[in-house]
Amino acid sequence: MSHRRLLARTMEFPQLRKFIASPYEVVVVDIGRFDRNLDILAQYGIRDRMEGVPTVLIVDPRSMTPPALADWTK
């Protein structure tokens, strides 16, 4: 089983789903083999290749500006 599928299944556990659903909006971005939808990452200032997939980013739009997120992911 791939790490991506394992993460997706884990996030479906009822307790975790309930915890996540309240304060967060889950957005899944398929970046393929680092060759798709990279423009979405670029909107947050992430232009370098990610260390690995799946990657989970928790972004608070009130305090995490795109440049701050890019610095944080380095």
Side-chain angles (χ1 to χ4, degrees):
M1 177 181 306
S2 72
H3 291 106
R4 176 185 55 85
R5 289 183 185 194
L6 182 60
L7 177 62
R9 286 188 179 176
T10 300
M11 291 183 68
E12 292 298 320
F13 287 157
Q15 300 89 342
L16 186 57
R17 180 178 257 229
K18 183 178 176 183
F19 174 78
I20 292 172
S22 177
Y24 302 105
E25 177 180 350
V26 176
V27 178
V28 177
V29 179
D30 180 1
I31 61 168
R33 296 183 181 266
F34 301 99
D35 60 353
R36 286 187 286 207
N37 299 317
L38 299 179
D39 57 317
I40 296 170
L41 298 178
Q43 290 176 8
Y44 290 97
I46 301 171
R47 299 196 188 324
D48 298 327
R49 185 176 168 135
M50 301 293 290
E51 289 292 322
V53 254
T55 298
V56 176
L57 297 175
I58 300 173
V59 180
D60 182 346
R62 297 169 297 177
S63 62
M64 190 63 80
T65 63
L69 180 62
D71 287 343
W72 182 78
T73 59
K74 288 183 181 179

